Amino acid sequence: MAARLVRRFVCLSRQNATKESGFTRKMSIFTRYREPPNGFLFNEKPLKPGEKRQWEEWEEPWYRWWSLILVVMPVLFYYKPDTK
């Protein structure tokens, strides 16, 4: 019994070694719209020395509104009326 299990295990391990991969990647509906990975974080290539990164159109309002919220909310909570 044990010898049969060992032979079966060896046979299966040889089959797995000869296959390229048991995993096949499925294509999604967004595959044609995405950029192919290039190996860099967030798919951004490193900048040359002295070159500045250009902000995307959403970044300026995002940082502006979050900084405004982080300044205004503590002031509003400090002056909140006492409702006890």
Side-chain angles (χ1 to χ4, degrees), residues 11 20 49 53 55 59 65:
C11 181
E20 288 181 23
R53 183 171 112 24
W55 276 13
E59 286 180 295
W65 280 105

Side-chain angles (χ1 to χ4, degrees), residues 11-12 17 25 33 37 50 57-58 63 72 79-81:
C11 181
L12 287 175
R25 187 174 188 134
Y33 300 114
E57 61 184 29
W58 62 268
Y63 293 126
V72 170
Y79 289 108
K80 182 177 87 169

Side-chain angles (χ1 to χ4, degrees), residues 42-48 50-61 63:
F42 304 122
N43 218 16
E44 291 185 8
K45 294 182 180 169
L47 300 175
K48 296 175 183 170
E51 188 178 13
K52 290 184 80 175
R53 183 171 112 24
Q54 295 292 321
W55 276 13
E56 294 185 23
E57 61 184 29
W58 62 268
E59 286 180 295
E60 184 180 353
Y63 293 126

Side-chain angles (χ1 to χ4, degrees), residues 28-43:
S28 91
I29 59 172
F30 301 109
T31 303
R32 63 180 156 201
Y33 300 114
R34 72 175 179 90
E35 296 178 22
N38 64 3
F40 297 109
L41 182 64
F42 304 122
N43 218 16

Side-chain angles (χ1 to χ4, degrees), residues 62-77:
W62 173 265
Y63 293 126
R64 180 177 292 157
W65 280 105
W66 271 107
S67 60
L68 183 68
I69 288 169
L70 291 174
V71 168
V72 170
M73 289 305 288
V75 173
L76 291 177
F77 277 117

